Amino acid sequence: MASFGWKRKIGEKVSKATSQQFEAEAADDKDLGDDDDANWVLAAKRRKEVLLEDCVRKSKELKDEGANLAENRRYREALVKWDEALQLTPEDATLYEMKSQVLMSLHEMFPAVHAAEMAVQRNPRSWDAWQTLGRAQLGLGEIALAIRSFQVSLHIFPMNPEVWKEDLSWARKLQEQQKATKTESVHALAGGKELVQESIPDYDFESDEIVAVCAAIAEKEKALSAAKTMVIVSASGTVETVTEQDNRPATPDETLFIRAR
């Protein structure tokens, strides 16, 4: 049988100098590879920044075009421009706030409230957004919510005379009128109930007058029942009026032909 021994490693035939040169070249290739990766990351980041800049620039152009259309009362066209701008910059609270104003001009209150709420969510520190939200809520008749929105707007910008003198003052006036209307309705309803109750006489059956009338009627009925009269015609032709006592008639003759009351 042939004997088998351990196989030698390939590296044992490579000289030390060659091995060192190989390791050095590998290190250089690794550095070049790392540099390429870093450059690729930087390039991708730069392209993203350029794309965002383009989106912001294009969004601003669309926003301005929509504003010009809205000033000329071309509200539908303005909404189209702002929707396109929101596709590029969906976090722009100003676009939502402008949309809400235009929707209120179109008397579309539910979408107006939704757009204003989106503006507030994206920029809670915008007093404009809170003011617009309050006006949209007021258009829906949500007076209490509108007052709260106006108060938040004033908390952010206390020196705003428009919100203080116009929006909040008008909302509170409407709230007072609403309360007065509810109070009048309650009073009217209560008055109606009182009238219904008054239409049903409340007799006092124990009063002296009622007792006297009842007594008189009883005496009359008693007298009628105690003395009853009848007309009797006997067989002989005699006609006589007889009074009954205790339901026992008194007859002048044994044979009766006609008995009439």
Side-chain angles (χ1 to χ4, degrees), residues 22-23 27 40 42 60 70-71 96 121 135 155 161 163 165 167 170 183 186 205 227 241 259:
F22 177 78
E23 292 176 355
W40 180 85
L42 291 175
K60 187 178 183 305
E71 289 178 358
Y96 284 105
Q121 290 176 6
R135 290 179 176 179
H155 180 74
V163 177
K165 294 181 180 180
D167 296 317
W170 173 245
T183 303
V186 171
F205 291 98
T241 301
R259 180 175 179 175

Side-chain angles (χ1 to χ4, degrees), residues 169-261:
S169 176
W170 173 245
R172 285 177 173 171
K173 184 177 180 180
L174 290 177
Q175 190 179 44
E176 292 175 358
Q177 293 177 355
Q178 187 182 52
K179 291 181 179 179
T181 303
K182 289 183 179 179
T183 303
E184 291 177 358
S185 300
V186 171
H187 289 332
L189 183 61
K193 290 182 178 179
E194 291 177 358
L195 291 175
V196 171
Q197 292 177 356
E198 291 177 357
S199 62
I200 302 175
D202 187 10
Y203 294 108
D204 185 5
F205 291 98
E206 296 182 358
S207 64
D208 296 337
E209 295 178 357
I210 299 298
V211 171
V213 170
C214 292
I217 294 173
E219 290 293 335
K220 185 176 181 180
E221 291 292 334
K222 183 178 180 181
L224 290 175
S225 61
K228 295 181 180 180
T229 60
M230 63 184 68
V231 177
I232 300 175
V233 180
S234 64
S236 60
T238 305
V239 178
E240 184 178 359
T241 301
V242 180
T243 301
E244 289 184 348
Q245 296 292 337
D246 297 330
N247 295 327
R248 293 191 301 271
T251 57
D253 198 345
E254 296 180 353
T255 304
L256 300 179
F257 294 94
I258 299 174
R259 180 175 179 175
R261 293 181 182 274

Side-chain angles (χ1 to χ4, degrees), residues 12-212:
E12 294 180 357
K13 295 183 179 181
V14 181
S15 64
K16 186 176 181 180
T18 304
S19 177
Q20 291 175 351
Q21 183 179 0
F22 177 78
E23 292 176 355
E25 291 176 355
D28 293 338
D29 292 339
K30 183 179 180 180
D31 293 338
L32 291 174
D34 293 340
D35 292 339
D36 291 339
D37 292 340
N39 292 333
W40 180 85
V41 172
L42 291 175
K45 184 177 180 180
R46 179 55 184 166
R47 283 195 298 271
K48 184 177 180 180
E49 291 175 353
V50 171
L51 181 61
L52 290 175
E53 291 174 358
D54 291 340
C55 289
V56 172
R57 178 181 54 81
K58 181 62 176 176
S59 176
K60 187 178 183 305
E61 292 176 359
L62 292 170
K63 182 193 295 184
D64 294 338
E65 292 176 8
N68 292 330
L69 291 170
E71 289 178 358
N72 294 322
R73 298 181 181 274
R74 298 165 63 180
Y75 298 132
R76 296 295 180 185
E77 299 176 46
L79 289 174
V80 172
K81 294 293 183 181
W82 290 335
D83 286 336
E84 293 178 1
L86 283 171
Q87 296 295 324
L88 300 172
T89 55
E91 298 301 320
D92 191 342
T94 306
L95 286 170
Y96 284 105
E97 190 269 333
M98 295 168 71
K99 276 191 64 176
S100 180
Q101 292 189 49
V102 168
L103 289 168
M104 280 190 285
S105 299
L106 294 172
H107 303 287
E108 298 181 8
M109 294 304 173
F110 282 103
V113 170
H114 177 70
E117 288 176 345
M118 297 291 285
V120 168
Q121 290 176 6
R122 279 153 178 75
N123 187 6
R125 297 181 178 275
S126 172
W127 64 268
D128 287 328
W130 283 104
Q131 181 187 26
T132 301
L133 177 59
R135 290 179 176 179
Q137 290 169 336
L138 205 60
L140 279 182
E142 298 291 345
I143 301 176
L145 294 177
I147 290 176
R148 179 185 176 277
S149 297
F150 292 143
Q151 289 173 342
V152 175
S153 179
L154 279 174
H155 180 74
I156 298 171
F157 184 27
M159 302 304 294
N160 188 354
E162 183 181 13
V163 177
W164 179 263
K165 294 181 180 180
E166 297 180 11
D167 296 317
L168 187 58
S169 176
W170 173 245
R172 285 177 173 171
K173 184 177 180 180
L174 290 177
Q175 190 179 44
E176 292 175 358
Q177 293 177 355
Q178 187 182 52
K179 291 181 179 179
T181 303
K182 289 183 179 179
T183 303
E184 291 177 358
S185 300
V186 171
H187 289 332
L189 183 61
K193 290 182 178 179
E194 291 177 358
L195 291 175
V196 171
Q197 292 177 356
E198 291 177 357
S199 62
I200 302 175
D202 187 10
Y203 294 108
D204 185 5
F205 291 98
E206 296 182 358
S207 64
D208 296 337
E209 295 178 357
I210 299 298
V211 171

